[in-house]
Amino acid sequence: MSLQSAQYLRQAEVLKADMTDSKLGPAEVWTSRQALQDLYQKMLVTDLEYALDKKVEQDLWNHAFKNQITTLQGQAKNRANPNRSEVQANLSLFLEAASGFYTQLLQELCTVFNVDLPCRVKSSQLGIISNKQTHTSAIVKPQSSSCSYICQHCLVHLGDIVPYNSPLLGRLQVTSIVRSGSW
């Protein structure tokens, strides 16, 4: 465990408290959610074993995404809500952002930990970023089983996000990738 990871965890607790503070406005909650995502992403990339031990990947999903999706869904389903169409648009945007986050996280994890997934196009092939990492000294090398687990976790949540818009399609696509075992 690195001292930095423990400090990140303490910072995450403050951000989670901020996100549930009813005194804060939507902009402040959004900023806290973004900061929490960034913090947890750093932990997963730099000290995966510690992050998994502390269940950071579950906390990330629940606090940064699932709770907000559930809240927005409830508001969007309420036929008495005069802002229902606006909430539905916000839900769609949030789902797109969540999908983008997990896609980018999966891309980064595969690059940093040199994981080759058959469903993944390397960033360098897309002209986005180099597949070489320059700050590898700050990264604690994880077990390969941990790398496989976190990649599967990202794929599962990508599959969890799609059904909110299309109930069956997303889960089937990601389930077929995960079950193939070839990743």
Side-chain angles (χ1 to χ4, degrees), residues 30 33 64-65 68-69 72 90-98:
W30 181 265
R33 183 178 297 108
F65 298 104
Q68 180 66 7
I69 291 168
L72 289 171
N90 285 336
L91 175 59
S92 290
L93 286 172
F94 189 78
L95 292 171
E96 285 296 320

Side-chain angles (χ1 to χ4, degrees), residues 44-163:
L44 289 167
V45 171
T46 58
D47 197 350
L48 181 60
E49 296 297 339
Y50 179 77
L52 293 179
D53 186 51
K54 298 299 181 184
K55 302 194 182 309
V56 165
E57 78 287 4
Q58 292 174 23
D59 230 25
L60 171 64
W61 170 249
N62 289 325
H63 292 281
F65 298 104
K66 185 180 178 204
N67 293 347
Q68 180 66 7
I69 291 168
T70 302
T71 298
L72 289 171
Q73 276 185 318
Q75 293 171 356
K77 288 179 183 176
N78 181 358
R79 295 191 189 276
N81 184 351
N83 299 322
R84 189 169 170 223
S85 61
E86 183 181 330
V87 171
Q88 288 173 329
N90 285 336
L91 175 59
S92 290
L93 286 172
F94 189 78
L95 292 171
E96 285 296 320
S99 178
F101 175 84
Y102 274 101
T103 300
Q104 188 274 331
L105 178 60
L106 179 63
Q107 205 58 356
E108 184 175 10
L109 291 165
C110 287
T111 300
V112 170
F113 300 133
N114 200 25
V115 176
D116 188 26
L117 297 179
C119 62
R120 174 184 168 256
V121 176
K122 290 185 171 68
S123 301
S124 60
Q125 292 172 310
L126 299 172
I128 298 171
I129 59 173
S130 169
N131 276 328
K132 286 190 164 191
Q133 281 302 109
T134 54
H135 299 93
T136 54
S137 61
I139 297 171
V140 177
K141 185 168 173 45
Q143 298 175 16
S144 64
S145 60
S146 297
C147 296
S148 295
Y149 169 81
I150 195 62
C151 289
Q152 180 178 5
H153 177 83
C154 289
L155 289 169
V156 166
H157 287 305
L158 282 166
D160 287 340
I161 292 164
V162 174

Side-chain angles (χ1 to χ4, degrees), residues 24-33:
L24 295 180
E28 291 87 359
V29 171
W30 181 265
T31 301
S32 293
R33 183 178 297 108

